[in-house]
Amino acid sequence: MPNNAKSCTPHARKSANDDYICKKKTVNPFLFRLFRNNETKVHELNYLFWECTTRCNFHCRHCGSDCSILSKERDMPLADFLNALDTIPADHRPRDFSVVLTGGEPLMRPDIETAGKEIRKRGFGWGMVSNGWFYDEKKHASLMAAGMGAITISLDGLEDSHDWMRGMPGSYKHALKAISIIAKEPRLNADVVTCVNKRNLSELPQICDLLTGLGVKQWRLFTIIPIGRAASDPDMHLSDQEFVRLMDFIQSKRSAKWPMNVTFSCEGYLGRYEEKVRQVRYFCHAGVNIASILIDGRICACPNIDRDRFSQGSIYQDNFYRVWETRFQPFRDRSWARTGKCEKCKQWRNCLGNGMHNWHGLSDEVLQCHYAKTL
């Protein structure tokens, strides 16, 4: 998944204990830290991304990579991924374990249905993240027949804004058609994600009404970190005041018990907005419950984390599950991140240096602080 293309995933619980946490209206920060520490100690793997292709038919303004139809990376052979998946012992596979196919655009692979069936055959649930261009009734039926249980489609504004963002005329209409199909499928855990920027911020109320009218149950919003194409594009980045407007918008929909679940992504610690704009307090599950297998075989956490700095091995040299059990130390002990602006922050114990995707390059500074935006 190209950095910035999506912000972590929505479809599955990150831990078995999240059900209990979610039932409580508010959670004492101390108790939540105990929960987080226990989850980190146990580090049960229950969510796995497979970057199955880096080919893409779009040229998105916010992409942190440079995916194209003629990607320099060949698609990972399905057999290679399945060999890695098979290293996970049967007695270490939680009932709600999910494999998420991402890219690039996964539907550019001709063997998606075969991949889904093989993943299901091994007892894992699977889903995908798509721009929706290739998604129609026929594709929907074939994916459902292959056992797909979850899907995320991106909608990044009303028509002009979405097409501008995605660099592809007509992409809005394709995304809307895909959304209308998945919203009617009761067997799918489906959601829509929106990358909020200066251009579409004022459109959020209209997008909310549009998605609600289509019957969408889950709408997740996220913002951009300054990497890739987005780093030098001022239209991609909200000011602190605009960020607060976004938080207030989400809070208003949640407090009004809107029929669609409107939520902010898990990208960072939000201070006074914690538990007001999403269901649980901030917790970066990367490397704690979430891993990824990248297009070249590297083993990492979420695909939008700096893969050069934080990759933990390779499926072509290492046993995938052994790597999960014995490595990933930078994700499970975040003390290294207490530097720069984080060093003396009073919110450190709640934040732990923000989301791992905010640590790019060799800098000892977190790229952005969500908490500071809300002050």
Side-chain angles (χ1 to χ4, degrees):
M1 176 171 62
N3 301 324
N4 269 335
K6 311 286 188 305
S7 181
C8 212
T9 102
H11 332 13
R13 291 181 294 137
K14 304 301 191 299
S15 76
N17 293 325
D18 279 356
D19 272 351
Y20 171 75
I21 295 293
C22 289
K23 288 175 183 177
K24 298 181 108 22
K25 199 165 186 179
T26 59
V27 178
N28 180 286
F30 172 74
L31 294 178
F32 190 84
R33 290 194 296 270
L34 290 178
F35 161 75
R36 183 190 63 195
N37 293 342
N38 183 66
E39 288 292 296
T40 304
K41 182 179 180 180
V42 175
H43 59 261
E44 177 187 72
L45 177 64
N46 57 30
Y47 215 85
L48 176 63
F49 286 102
W50 177 30
E51 189 181 46
C52 63
T53 183
T54 54
R55 292 181 295 145
C56 188
N57 55 321
F58 284 8
H59 190 79
C60 302
R61 299 180 69 94
H62 61 314
C63 185
S65 300
D66 193 14
C67 294
S68 65
I69 294 176
L70 299 176
S71 170
K72 65 179 181 180
E73 297 278 3
R74 72 184 183 97
D75 292 353
M76 178 182 285
L78 174 58
D80 294 357
F81 173 72
L82 294 176
N83 287 338
L85 195 62
D86 287 340
T87 66
I88 304 175
D91 59 351
H92 286 69
R93 300 177 183 181
R95 180 177 54 83
D96 58 351
F97 196 120
S98 292
V99 176
V100 179
L101 279 57
T102 185
E105 171 52 49
L107 290 180
M108 294 194 74
R109 284 189 67 123
D111 62 347
I112 287 295
E113 288 86 354
T114 301
K117 290 176 182 177
E118 289 295 331
I119 292 168
R120 274 288 187 189
K121 188 187 298 183
R122 288 160 170 77
F124 300 97
W126 73 276
M128 64 184 300
V129 181
S130 174
N131 60 38
W133 184 272
F134 301 108
Y135 206 96
D136 56 18
E137 288 83 358
K138 182 178 179 181
K139 177 57 70 172
H140 173 74
S142 66
L143 292 169
M144 293 302 295
M148 183 175 72
I151 188 169
T152 293
I153 303 289
S154 296
L155 186 72
D156 292 316
L158 300 178
E159 186 165 9
D160 288 345
S161 297
H162 179 89
D163 288 358
W164 166 83
M165 181 90 155
R166 292 288 168 174
M168 176 67 81
S171 58
Y172 173 83
K173 293 178 181 177
H174 282 265
L176 219 57
K177 180 177 181 179
I179 291 167
S180 66
I181 294 171
I182 66 173
K184 296 172 184 175
E185 178 55 71
R187 294 175 294 169
L188 268 181
N189 189 352
D191 78 340
V192 175
V193 292
T194 297
C195 174
V196 183
N197 54 74
K198 288 184 180 295
R199 182 158 174 164
N200 66 15
L201 178 62
S202 63
E203 299 175 350
L204 295 182
Q206 294 167 273
I207 299 171
C208 187
D209 290 340
L210 173 66
L211 296 178
T212 302
L214 290 173
V216 173
K217 300 296 190 296
Q218 305 273 347
W219 183 32
R220 186 168 49 92
L221 300 98
F222 68 98
T223 59
I224 285 296
I225 57 173
I227 59 171
R229 296 176 193 155
S232 57
D233 190 340
D235 289 330
M236 289 293 98
H237 304 283
L238 301 179
S239 67
D240 291 355
Q241 292 76 18
E242 289 168 330
F243 186 82
V244 169
R245 278 178 57 194
L246 171 60
M247 295 298 104
D248 288 340
F249 169 77
I250 297 173
Q251 182 180 357
S252 70
K253 295 302 179 184
R254 296 185 66 80
S255 59
K257 297 184 179 179
W258 196 257
M260 177 175 63
N261 183 27
V262 184
T263 183
F264 188 60
S265 72
C266 57
E267 64 188 76
Y269 174 71
L270 299 170
R272 62 191 172 100
Y273 286 102
E274 285 295 314
E275 297 180 340
K276 296 178 180 178
V277 295
R278 54 190 168 214
Q279 202 159 2
V280 295
R281 298 182 67 86
Y282 163 71
F283 179 4
C284 182
H285 288 266
V288 176
N289 305 110
I290 301 172
S292 64
I293 295 175
L294 305 180
I295 189 69
D296 59 1
R298 279 185 287 183
I299 300 167
C300 197
C302 294
N304 60 349
I305 290 171
D306 189 333
R307 53 190 67 195
D308 291 327
R309 185 176 181 182
F310 293 110
S311 64
Q312 300 297 300
S314 169
I315 64 169
Y316 295 116
Q317 282 86 45
D318 304 296
N319 178 290
F320 167 73
Y321 192 72
R322 191 172 300 128
V323 169
W324 173 258
E325 286 289 278
T326 61
R327 301 183 193 175
F328 285 88
Q329 285 81 6
F331 299 88
R332 298 166 189 169
D333 179 359
R334 296 288 296 275
S335 58
W336 58 268
R338 195 162 193 178
T339 183
K341 68 183 73 173
C342 298
E343 185 174 5
K344 296 181 180 179
C345 179
K346 294 181 180 179
Q347 293 297 323
W348 165 260
R349 60 183 181 172
N350 296 318
C351 178
L352 299 182
N354 218 355
M356 284 291 297
H357 65 285
N358 263 286
W359 293 86
H360 270 260
L362 299 177
S363 171
D364 286 332
E365 283 279 349
V366 65
L367 288 177
Q368 62 180 354
C369 173
H370 290 74
Y371 170 67
K373 295 174 183 290
T374 66
L375 297 177

